[in-house]
Amino acid sequence: MTSQRQIMNHDDIRRALSRVAHEISERNRGVDDVILVGIYTGGVYLARRLAQNLFDFEGAVVPVAALDINLYRDDLRGPGRRVVRPTDMPESISGKRVVLVDDVLYTGRTVRAAMDALNDFGRPDQVQLAILLDRGHRELPIRPDYVGKNVPTAPDEAVKVRLVENEGVDEVSIVRIDPALDPRGTTSKGPNRRGAVK
């Protein structure tokens, strides 16, 4: 049996992204030479929302890229086939300030893979990390620069992010997983999700 509790609703997510966009603008003294790079899939949707917020605040168009990292992961186990989606990088990242965007930060392995993938597209001046939700349990020395919400979680919990763009609703929930149940195939960010962790 599983239990679920909502920790962010539509307004919470909207406010968090608005604050993060302001912080990106302040830290970089504007948005010149800033590129938002969303990690598939949730990170891409969030990067587009941040770009819209930055346009509303700054009146400037910030490029948004979509980055697939499946070929760079070291934590996908088993014989399953890796689904590779097209990376869309609108311009070279050399000399730019890249803001990596993802929905949940967990072990840090997704971010490490994303940084490896970025090497194929140039050498940025700086790489920053924007996360909607930091749930802790890091396995690598990775720390976000911008966080929508910090939520300590237990190892037997998963984080489920639902976004309007692909599920018709904005919400983040904590799901406690019964060890007797197989959580594979869910959209939760947690242990044993297709053998991968965030």
Side-chain angles (χ1 to χ4, degrees):
M1 192 169 183
T2 62
S3 62
Q4 181 170 314
R5 60 185 172 90
Q6 185 186 86
I7 58 171
M8 297 182 81
N9 60 25
H10 173 79
D11 287 337
D12 296 328
I13 293 173
R14 178 183 55 78
R15 284 191 294 267
L17 293 177
S18 177
R19 176 173 48 77
V20 166
H22 277 295
E23 291 173 358
I24 290 172
S25 176
E26 290 170 7
R27 174 167 177 166
N28 293 286
R29 296 184 175 88
V31 292
D32 291 344
D33 295 326
V34 171
I35 297 179
L36 299 171
V37 178
I39 301 172
Y40 274 112
T41 54
V44 177
Y45 301 137
L46 297 174
R48 291 172 183 160
R49 293 195 203 183
L50 287 171
Q52 182 61 54
N53 284 340
L54 288 167
F55 178 78
D56 293 342
F57 305 152
E58 298 284 338
V61 175
V62 179
V64 177
L67 183 66
D68 183 84
I69 59 151
N70 275 331
L71 293 178
Y72 299 86
R73 298 193 70 122
D74 66 356
D75 59 346
L76 294 179
R77 297 181 294 276
R81 187 175 167 189
R82 298 187 186 197
V83 177
V84 179
R85 290 150 295 200
T87 288
D88 175 21
M89 197 69 65
E91 58 185 81
S92 171
I93 62 173
S94 293
K96 305 290 186 180
R97 292 172 177 261
V98 170
V99 180
L100 276 174
V101 183
D102 205 6
D103 49 5
V104 177
L105 180 58
Y106 185 27
T107 65
R109 294 187 180 276
T110 293
V111 175
R112 183 210 57 80
M115 290 190 290
D116 286 348
L118 283 176
N119 288 333
D120 290 343
F121 298 96
R123 187 180 186 278
D125 274 355
Q126 191 175 98
V127 178
Q128 301 166 15
L129 178 60
I131 293 294
L132 177 61
L133 188 106
D134 186 351
R135 60 168 296 187
H137 303 284
R138 213 79 75 242
E139 294 176 2
L140 299 173
I142 289 172
R143 185 177 67 182
D145 300 280
Y146 315 102
V147 180
K149 188 178 183 69
N150 286 287
V151 178
T153 59
D156 64 343
E157 293 177 327
V159 175
K160 185 173 185 179
V161 178
R162 302 177 67 199
L163 298 173
V164 166
E165 290 86 346
N166 63 347
E167 297 202 47
V169 64
D170 278 342
E171 69 174 12
V172 180
S173 300
I174 299 292
V175 181
R176 183 173 293 276
I177 302 169
D178 185 331
L181 298 177
D182 182 2
R184 287 177 298 178
T186 71
T187 58
S188 301
K189 311 294 194 232
N192 299 324
R193 178 178 174 264
R194 298 189 184 95
V197 289
K198 282 275 189 175

